[in-house]
Amino acid sequence: MGNSQSPPSHNPRFASSSRAFTHTELEDLKSLHASLAAKSQSGGPYISPSVFKTYFGLKGALGDRMFDLVTQQRKNGKLTFEDLVIAKGIYEKGTKDDIEEFIYQLLDVSGDGIVGRSDLECVLGALFDNIFNMDTPERGSSAHQGSVDVFLNAAKFTKHDEGHDQESLSLEDFRTWCTLLPSVRKFLGSLLIPPHQGRPGSQVPRLMHVENIDSNMVLLKEVYAWHIGGILPQQELVEWKLLYHSSFSGLSFNTFLGSVSNDKGPTVLIIKDKDDYIYGGYASQPWERHGGFYGDLKSFLFQLYPKASIFRPTGANTNIQWCAVNFSSESIPNGIGFGGKVNHFGLFLSASFDQGHTFSCTTFGSPCLSKTNRIHPEVIECWGVVTKVAEQEKHAGGKGTVLERFKEDRHMLNMVGLANSSE
């Protein structure tokens, strides 16, 4: 619903943008602008760069570039009410193309009209500072260099600019990058929502495991969880709990199935192989015995290292999830997997849990996820996704029976080999 009675203005862009807002929304924006202008002490109805960046929680070059775009690159340090309406009209209420073109311009932090690798590196550094170091002094991309490199590796720079040796990121390159990194796209598309209002794209699931487990041995880091959660609904970004870790439970298919069988919600399977590649899949359905493919289009594959990417179902087929146990037919290989076809999966772990494979597949539009098609797992993890609804039901019903609590506690102790220490 727009605002049919737009405020009179000599600026056609303002008149057009204001029609995207209701009367109440425009009044709220007017109040916000007046409040921030008063704090700016700019001697007029203008918001200063420092007040703008503080209110929207934007640091460094990314905040400078956003202020530059919102003020239509006048370089006078004065953000008017019309500027705010025009920017929000395009950035938040424009067409998909309008919004993506705005974000693409935002990436050009150097302001030279070219989105180069250094621009992307700067933006990613600022992004990680905002998400993972909200209360610490500005540190820049160097503090997150490992993560920055992983996300940079997902980008392809194919645009040739005259007078420049290195190729840059085209608008189409940017769109492809956003498809692979939905968490980045979500965050960069919500920068004009202040952090205290719950900025989309900044939620990181709380990762839960028993204290006896050395966190350095856990594959799933916060930045990886944030990346995987980029296409998940809000209720699945509350808490993830470690159900199985091969370093503590052993590389055992039966132990894996036993560990995850009590968890009926979605799970996140992560593999680190002997080539040091890290990848996996999000399974929306429980790991249960089937004689063929099952699952739904909520599942997806992902890469975490040395490149971060997410591959969603393309709709080409419904060969989503695989879990075959104790079958004797060669046409039903025992193990777990995602996508592709029998013996040519997008990702597959054999029941021996010491080998598997990954091929490019049309199910998810994914490439081989590792260095080679044949994989040899070094570490396997599985995390249970605790949905907000399930968590509320848990609290509403107490902590369950004594037997249920014993089973859960014993399972966690089994993971670290302590269940029988007192027997």
Side-chain angles (χ1 to χ4, degrees):
M1 289 181 61
N3 175 39
S4 57
Q5 299 298 321
S6 305
S9 173
H10 300 298
N11 186 336
R13 293 186 68 196
F14 172 71
S16 174
S17 295
S18 64
R19 284 193 287 271
F21 298 91
T22 64
H23 176 74
T24 300
E25 288 174 331
L26 277 177
E27 289 301 310
D28 288 343
L29 282 179
K30 189 177 293 184
S31 296
L32 172 63
H33 183 271
S35 173
L36 296 181
K39 292 179 181 178
S40 298
Q41 298 180 339
S42 55
Y46 311 114
I47 301 173
S48 68
S50 60
V51 169
F52 171 83
K53 291 197 295 180
T54 298
Y55 178 77
F56 288 107
L58 301 175
K59 302 176 182 179
L62 184 60
D64 293 337
R65 179 59 177 168
M66 177 60 90
F67 186 86
D68 198 30
L69 288 182
V70 172
T71 56
Q72 303 175 61
Q73 304 186 66
R74 288 192 305 271
K75 309 292 185 182
N76 64 357
K78 297 179 178 180
L79 194 159
T80 67
F81 173 62
E82 290 191 359
D83 289 334
L84 188 61
V85 171
I86 292 170
K88 277 185 163 282
I90 297 171
Y91 182 60
E92 296 178 352
K93 294 181 177 288
T95 65
K96 181 175 181 288
D97 286 344
D98 288 340
I99 295 170
E100 288 182 347
E101 287 176 16
F102 187 99
I103 299 174
Y104 177 67
Q105 291 182 62
L106 178 65
L107 298 181
D108 179 21
V109 292
S110 61
D112 61 359
I114 297 172
V115 180
R117 188 178 181 87
S118 60
D119 289 311
L120 230 55
E121 187 173 7
C122 182
V123 168
L124 285 170
L127 181 152
F128 292 135
D129 267 350
N130 273 273
I131 295 173
F132 299 104
N133 293 301
M134 296 295 289
D135 300 319
T136 60
E138 186 174 326
R139 298 195 295 173
S141 63
S142 60
H144 310 281
Q145 194 59 55
S147 299
V148 167
D149 290 342
V150 164
F151 282 75
L152 262 180
N153 289 340
K156 291 185 177 179
F157 300 84
T158 66
K159 183 182 177 185
H160 179 71
D161 301 285
E162 190 173 345
H164 290 78
D165 295 333
Q166 294 185 331
E167 293 182 322
S168 62
L169 192 80
S170 68
L171 179 57
E172 198 54 44
D173 292 336
F174 163 70
R175 287 173 171 149
T176 301
W177 190 59
C178 286
T179 300
L180 297 174
L181 303 175
S183 52
V184 172
R185 169 62 181 82
K186 187 186 292 186
F187 185 82
L188 292 178
S190 60
L191 295 181
L192 291 183
I193 297 174
H196 66 269
Q197 292 183 8
R199 176 180 287 158
S202 60
Q203 292 78 14
V204 182
R206 186 168 62 252
L207 304 180
M208 304 296 291
H209 56 76
V210 292
E211 294 180 0
N212 305 73
I213 293 180
D214 183 355
S215 59
N216 292 322
M217 297 181 69
V218 175
L219 295 178
L220 186 60
K221 310 302 181 186
E222 278 192 333
V223 66
Y224 292 159
W226 171 75
H227 164 56
I228 295 168
I231 59 173
L232 296 180
Q234 183 68 31
Q235 63 266 26
E236 294 189 14
L237 299 177
V238 180
E239 178 180 301
W240 297 359
K241 59 180 179 180
L242 185 60
L243 302 176
Y244 169 83
H245 194 293
S246 60
S247 296
F248 307 104
S249 304
L251 282 169
S252 167
F253 187 34
N254 289 334
T255 302
F256 169 85
L257 291 176
S259 299
V260 304
S261 62
N262 292 327
D263 197 274
K264 300 302 181 183
T267 53
V268 178
L269 177 72
I270 304 176
I271 300 165
K272 178 183 178 183
D273 63 28
K274 293 186 177 179
D275 288 314
D276 286 333
Y277 279 62
I278 305 175
Y279 45 86
Y282 168 90
S284 61
Q285 300 296 313
W287 292 106
E288 297 174 337
R289 187 178 190 268
H290 288 76
F293 283 100
Y294 68 106
D296 57 42
L297 299 181
K298 296 177 184 176
S299 298
F300 55 89
L301 290 175
F302 54 80
Q303 293 172 305
L304 301 178
Y305 184 87
K307 176 170 65 175
S309 299
I310 281 179
F311 306 99
R312 289 174 268 202
T314 62
N317 57 58
T318 56
N319 299 349
I320 304 296
Q321 198 171 333
W322 180 274
C323 183
V325 185
N326 295 328
F327 284 95
S328 57
S329 171
E330 290 185 3
S331 63
I332 309 178
N334 292 314
I336 56 175
F338 295 87
K341 57 185 180 181
V342 173
N343 295 321
H344 202 280
F345 292 86
L347 176 60
F348 179 75
L349 278 176
S350 70
S352 65
F353 254 36
D354 63 355
Q355 61 180 318
H357 64 250
T358 168
F359 290 96
S360 60
C361 77
T362 56
T363 308
F364 298 101
S366 55
C368 167
L369 301 177
S370 187
K371 187 176 182 179
T372 61
N373 295 122
R374 299 295 169 184
I375 62 173
H376 298 280
E378 191 172 87
V379 180
I380 301 172
E381 285 180 3
C382 190
W383 295 76
V385 175
V386 181
T387 64
K388 187 178 292 185
V389 173
E391 189 68 12
Q392 289 170 346
E393 290 175 351
K394 174 182 173 183
H395 289 300
K399 294 185 177 180
T401 66
V402 172
L403 180 59
E404 287 170 342
R405 294 200 305 272
F406 173 77
K407 286 181 177 179
E408 183 173 346
D409 292 344
R410 190 172 182 81
H411 161 62
M412 296 303 286
L413 289 171
N414 273 323
M415 288 188 59
V416 292
L418 296 177
N420 299 316
S421 62
S422 61
E423 296 177 2

